[in-house]
Amino acid sequence: MTTDTPARLLQLLSLLQTPREWPGGELADRLGVSRRTVRRDIDRLRELGYPVQATMGSDGGYRLVAGKAMPPLVLDDEEAVAIAVGLRAGAGHAIEGVDEASVRALAKLEQVLPARLRHRVSTLQAATTPLTSGDGASVTPETLTVMASAVAGRERLRFAYRAGDGTGTRRLAEPYRLVSTGRRWYLVAYDLDRADWRTFRVDRVSEPFPTGARFAPRELPTGSAAEYLRHSMQRRQETYTFAVTFPESAETVAARLPGWLGTPEPLPEGGCRLRATVGDRVEWLAVRLATLGFEFTVREPQELVECVRALGARMTRAAGAGPEGGAAEGGA
């Protein structure tokens, strides 16, 4: 019999989080208490915000249902490891839809994981290689979780940073937000040494170290971290606008299109048009459009038209020669 009420409540909560209905008698047997104690414990859980539903009758019992708010969850060892590994795999690559919220969740989970489970997570992570469709550089989950914790705790952060030309510097900053573009992670922060706002590519960050010094968040020059990052990227590189049409519907194209590349619009005559402003090289954009798997026509700019034409000719030549330099199998 469990005489420690908090421990018994956690055990009861763990049982109720299994997606099934628990008869009161079975719960009483599992916990080693009376049915009356089970009813009192159920009432305590309800007072704490857990939506426990009861059904009457001989086959009646208790089950946890969806409520208006998300109460704390109780995870067993296997569940905690599975969630941590999944969040790590997603966080390490800036996959679209896996944003700062998932990194915050990973930081919270790893903060309370016992050492034995943290070791299991690290071992499993090291033994597996994810196959991702992301085009950006990978980032260690440890770097992301340290940064996310510093953002949440409003704690100054020291780190080493490697610029695009390879120059290395040490930075002291007040981290504001982590932003995922769908290809890369960026840290928006106030750089104390330069007394100005800066954006840092997280894959170029190493040795992040929270200093323990707290700070009051400053006001961003723009309304949101995402907007500030967008303006910052446009200032640093030359951008251009492209327009491409597809014979497929906007919904079909959007299903394969990364959101950061724009949203296709339906055309009155059928098909759809994709128009957006980007800062990537035209060669990269040409390849990215080709990998969508749809027929498409480039409307602008002329540089992209010429790049797609050259890429198509190169691919045609590559397919026209067999392994010995002759005609490809099945060719004319």
Side-chain angles (χ1 to χ4, degrees):
M1 174 179 178
T2 306
T3 57
D4 184 351
T5 300
R8 190 177 65 247
L9 286 176
L10 287 174
Q11 187 179 354
L12 173 60
L13 182 57
S14 180
L15 292 171
L16 290 174
Q17 284 178 170
T18 303
R20 55 162 289 191
E21 187 166 287
W22 289 89
E26 186 174 350
L27 288 176
D29 292 339
R30 288 287 194 105
L31 300 173
V33 297
S34 66
R35 294 193 180 201
R36 181 179 178 183
T37 300
V38 169
R39 289 194 294 270
R40 286 203 303 264
D41 288 348
I42 291 293
D43 289 337
R44 291 190 181 99
L45 289 179
R46 288 169 175 163
E47 291 171 0
L48 292 172
Y50 293 93
V52 182
Q53 184 182 73
T55 55
M56 306 303 292
S58 57
D59 296 328
Y62 303 96
R63 66 184 304 149
L64 198 62
V65 298
K68 295 181 180 179
M70 178 70 181
L73 296 176
V74 177
L75 304 173
D76 62 28
D77 287 3
E78 301 300 326
E79 293 166 342
V81 169
I83 292 174
V85 169
L87 287 172
R88 275 176 164 235
H93 302 263
I95 301 173
E96 190 172 1
V98 181
D99 55 12
E100 187 194 355
S102 65
V103 179
R104 292 200 312 268
L106 177 59
K108 290 178 181 178
L109 180 59
E110 294 204 338
Q111 184 178 2
V112 298
L113 277 180
R116 70 180 192 281
L117 296 186
R118 225 172 2 246
H119 176 71
R120 286 177 59 186
V121 170
S122 298
T123 301
L124 185 56
Q125 183 81 13
T128 58
T129 300
L131 178 62
T132 64
S133 58
D135 299 305
S138 62
V139 179
T140 62
E142 291 80 7
T143 297
L144 282 172
T145 53
V146 167
M147 289 184 164
S149 297
V151 169
R154 297 177 179 178
E155 190 174 354
R156 288 179 177 174
L157 190 70
R158 286 190 183 276
F159 54 90
Y161 190 70
R162 175 179 51 82
D165 60 2
T167 304
T169 55
R170 300 289 302 183
R171 302 297 182 95
L172 175 62
E174 296 175 349
Y176 185 80
R177 286 289 186 276
L178 283 166
V179 182
S180 168
T181 64
R183 293 177 61 203
R184 295 189 178 99
W185 283 102
Y186 289 85
L187 173 69
V188 176
Y190 188 84
D191 191 322
L192 292 169
D193 295 325
R194 290 151 181 78
D196 199 3
W197 288 93
R198 291 288 191 272
T199 59
F200 302 95
R201 270 180 51 173
V202 177
D203 60 291
R204 294 177 178 170
V205 170
S206 60
E207 305 172 36
F209 176 74
T211 65
R214 308 289 176 177
F215 65 90
R218 304 169 190 264
E219 185 176 352
L220 267 177
T222 56
S224 69
E227 189 65 23
Y228 179 81
L229 175 63
R230 186 176 298 110
H231 289 321
S232 176
M233 294 175 70
Q234 290 175 353
R235 287 196 305 268
R236 290 200 304 263
Q237 60 190 14
E238 183 178 351
T239 61
Y240 60 92
T241 299
F242 74 92
V244 179
T245 56
F246 300 88
E248 284 77 13
S249 68
E251 293 78 9
T252 301
V253 174
R256 296 190 187 179
L257 194 70
W260 53 266
L261 200 51
T263 303
E265 302 174 347
L267 294 172
E269 62 273 19
C272 65
R273 180 183 69 171
L274 176 64
R275 182 182 176 87
T277 299
V278 295
D280 295 292
R281 294 186 306 160
V282 291
E283 293 85 359
W284 179 90
L285 180 60
V287 172
R288 194 66 181 87
L289 291 170
T291 59
L292 292 177
F294 300 123
E295 297 288 331
F296 65 92
T297 302
V298 179
R299 302 300 179 182
E300 60 173 306
Q302 186 60 33
E303 292 82 359
L304 182 57
V305 173
E306 294 171 359
C307 184
V308 169
R309 184 180 294 124
L311 177 63
R314 192 177 307 126
M315 293 297 100
T316 299
R317 290 193 299 272
E324 301 300 328
E329 184 178 354

